[in-house]
Amino acid sequence: MQKTLSERDQAVIWHPYTQMQTAPAPVGIVRGEGAVLEDEQGRQYIDATSSWWVNIHGHAHPHITQRLAEQAAVLHHSIFAGYTHEPAVTLAERLLPVLPGCQARVFYSDNGSTAVEVALKMTIQYWQNKGLPRRKLLAFHNAYHGDTFGAMSVSGRSVFTRAFDDYLFEVTFLDLPNPENLPALLAQVGALGEATAAFIFEPLVQGAGGMVMYDAPSLDALLAHCRAKGILLIADEIMTGFGRTGTNFAMDQLATPPDMVTLSKGLTGGTMAMGITTCTAEIYEAFLSTDKLKTLFHGHSFTANPLTCAVALASLELFLEPSCAENRRRIAEQHRQFAEVLATQDDVRNVRQAGTILAFEIHTGEADSYINDLAGFLHAFFREKRVMLRPLGNTLYILPPYCITNEQLGLVYNSILEMLAAYGKRQV
């Protein structure tokens, strides 16, 4: 008998964030359309998390598919050192004007972690090129910026970093700002003097840390204080970018502009892997010199891959259409109404929303944790309901593609209510 895709997978694949000894067999996905994925048995699943937050326009979008096919007939790849091509130039030309702050240059890489690595290397070398001794980095407790070593170093120490903590460089971590602790945070930043090179942060929402949301005015005050101290500001918009928090970018809700922006995930509409790091003209110009040692020595074999640039450009075009903004407003309103229902549920805590992101905790009586035992129950329950939801421990969130219909959202909401009812019976 011919083996299923899932069976074949178990013989040869090592999956991310998965304890392979105890994890259930993976679902074999064979196709997708809109907000729906289909497995090899023909069962359909509503993709309520945008396949790890990347698929903003829906699966197999015809506009993106067409652009990919057109580009594939012309140029698959070309070295990007000493050469260039139309998709890379056009994407940079159209992306820079819509980004927060005065972003002037685009540096292409492969994914979110590498976009962060590039930003950190730009920061460190920027101060070296200027001959100034700024070496310290700031980040938030509970942050997550990726799984490469630089990105892990500026991430909060957690299950993601535990095996590697001794290898990570030192970073000063701050509490998330609020009106009560803001004076102490400003004093903490001030005490570091002129030794701090940069502050990297996820604006308004910490994603992998548990969809932790915090207020814009306090963050803005902290960023303004950092700017006054000459500290470079790196806005990690890998998750929050492209409309997730209600505005085009989370930084659009703040008055203090970033010096750098990191992008990935929704950048290509969930079609192909890509990372982008942008910076201001001032940062770029610090690398211009007759001294070749002031060059930014960083690159990737697939830097600015033409196919990827073409689909990112197609995704950007879709994102800037008025219908996309209207869909985001519609989803936000549906979430708002469901949040009121969630707030009445016995085992629900801390219901919160930012744009198309809705999150809450399920009360377990134990410490909140990414490796909370509740996750296994939730995975199995939602797989049975044919809804693709991946909890962060006991934090459950909905972060759907913008094409999801109200009917599909209703099915997601109903599955959550059914889960809460089943969970309540388990506790009796």
Side-chain angles (χ1 to χ4, degrees):
M1 175 181 281
Q2 185 176 6
K3 289 185 177 181
T4 66
L5 182 61
S6 179
E7 290 168 338
R8 290 164 54 203
D9 172 286
Q10 292 178 85
V12 293
I13 301 294
W14 189 345
H15 286 269
Y17 304 110
T18 301
Q19 176 45 257
M20 299 298 292
Q21 180 168 308
T22 58
V27 176
I29 298 297
V30 296
R31 65 179 56 84
E33 182 177 359
V36 173
L37 292 165
E38 185 175 312
D39 71 12
E40 54 191 322
Q41 282 77 40
R43 296 172 297 204
Q44 294 189 331
Y45 301 75
I46 299 175
D47 186 357
T49 57
S50 302
S51 289
W52 257 343
W53 324 339
V54 302
N55 197 285
I56 60 176
H57 304 300
H59 298 278
H61 194 286
H63 179 65
I64 296 177
T65 301
Q66 179 182 351
R67 288 298 187 85
L68 176 59
E70 291 172 353
Q71 183 58 46
V74 176
L75 176 66
H76 285 195
H77 191 59
S78 169
I79 185 174
F80 207 62
Y83 297 84
T84 192
H85 51 75
E86 180 69 30
V89 175
T90 303
L91 176 59
E93 289 174 338
R94 296 186 183 176
L95 179 61
L96 287 170
V98 303
L99 292 177
C102 299
Q103 303 302 301
R105 296 283 170 164
V106 167
F107 193 100
Y108 290 107
S109 61
D110 292 354
N111 57 62
S113 289
T114 56
V116 168
E117 296 287 331
V118 170
L120 297 176
K121 291 174 74 171
M122 280 183 181
T123 292
I124 294 167
Q125 192 174 345
Y126 168 82
W127 292 111
Q128 289 180 354
N129 285 0
K130 292 178 72 68
L132 297 173
R134 287 182 178 257
R135 299 178 59 86
K136 293 184 181 296
L137 294 172
L138 297 178
F140 280 135
H141 288 296
N142 198 55
Y144 174 84
H145 295 287
D147 292 330
T148 50
F149 272 84
M152 283 195 296
S153 294
V154 293
S155 298
R157 303 300 178 254
S158 67
V159 296
F160 298 107
T161 68
R162 190 162 299 163
F164 315 104
D165 284 351
D166 291 344
Y167 297 88
L168 306 181
F169 57 74
E170 184 179 350
V171 173
T172 298
F173 290 98
L174 307 176
D175 291 334
L176 290 179
N178 58 55
E180 288 72 35
N181 70 5
L182 185 58
L185 290 178
L186 299 184
Q188 184 179 358
V189 171
L192 295 171
E194 297 183 354
T196 305
F199 175 31
I200 183 168
F201 55 96
E202 299 160 273
L204 304 185
V205 183
Q206 291 185 314
M211 295 299 163
V212 179
M213 302 177 188
Y214 60 109
D215 72 285
S218 296
L219 175 59
D220 210 11
L222 178 59
L223 296 183
H225 185 67
C226 289
R227 163 137 298 138
K229 298 295 182 181
I231 299 169
L232 297 179
L233 304 176
I234 306 171
D236 180 350
E237 294 250 20
I238 289 166
M239 188 276 283
T240 57
F242 299 101
R244 284 301 182 192
T245 64
T247 48
N248 285 353
F249 297 90
M251 290 300 293
D252 292 337
Q253 301 177 43
L254 306 174
T256 307
D259 298 290
M260 301 182 195
V261 177
T262 59
L263 301 169
S264 188
K265 292 197 181 291
L267 175 62
T268 67
T271 309
M272 300 176 74
M274 186 183 214
I276 277 180
T277 307
T278 66
C279 69
T280 61
E282 179 183 356
I283 292 173
Y284 170 74
E285 288 166 4
F287 291 80
L288 302 180
S289 174
T290 56
D291 181 357
K292 292 186 177 180
L293 291 178
K294 291 190 173 182
T295 303
L296 179 63
F297 288 104
H298 188 98
H300 302 267
S301 299
F302 286 93
T303 292
N305 172 259
L307 299 172
T308 311
C309 289
V311 296
L313 184 57
S315 178
L316 180 62
E317 290 168 347
L318 292 172
F319 176 71
L320 294 177
E321 289 182 356
S323 60
C324 182
E326 179 54 39
N327 274 332
R328 301 200 307 270
R329 286 190 290 269
R330 173 182 56 81
I331 293 168
E333 175 57 22
Q334 296 296 307
H335 279 355
R336 185 194 64 77
Q337 294 178 28
F338 183 57
E340 295 178 354
V341 176
L342 281 175
T344 67
Q345 303 298 302
D346 290 339
D347 294 312
V348 169
R349 303 288 187 273
N350 190 23
V351 181
R352 55 201 182 274
Q353 179 185 358
T356 65
I357 308 169
L358 179 64
F360 62 94
E361 268 74 64
I362 300 170
H363 180 61
T364 63
E366 303 173 7
D368 294 347
S369 169
Y370 184 85
I371 54 175
N372 194 294
D373 290 338
L374 177 64
F377 165 72
L378 297 178
H379 280 299
F381 186 92
F382 289 115
R383 184 180 289 193
E384 180 67 25
K385 293 295 180 182
R386 308 290 180 255
V387 174
M388 190 177 286
L389 286 171
R390 183 179 174 84
L392 296 163
N394 63 312
T395 297
L396 193 61
Y397 66 91
I398 310 169
L399 201 156
Y402 303 145
C403 65
I404 194 168
T405 66
N406 287 354
E407 180 182 6
Q408 289 168 332
L409 278 172
L411 293 172
V412 174
Y413 298 154
N414 285 337
S415 73
I416 290 174
L417 294 177
E418 290 172 2
M419 176 276 296
L420 290 170
Y423 176 71
K425 291 178 181 178
R426 290 176 76 224
Q427 304 304 104
V428 174

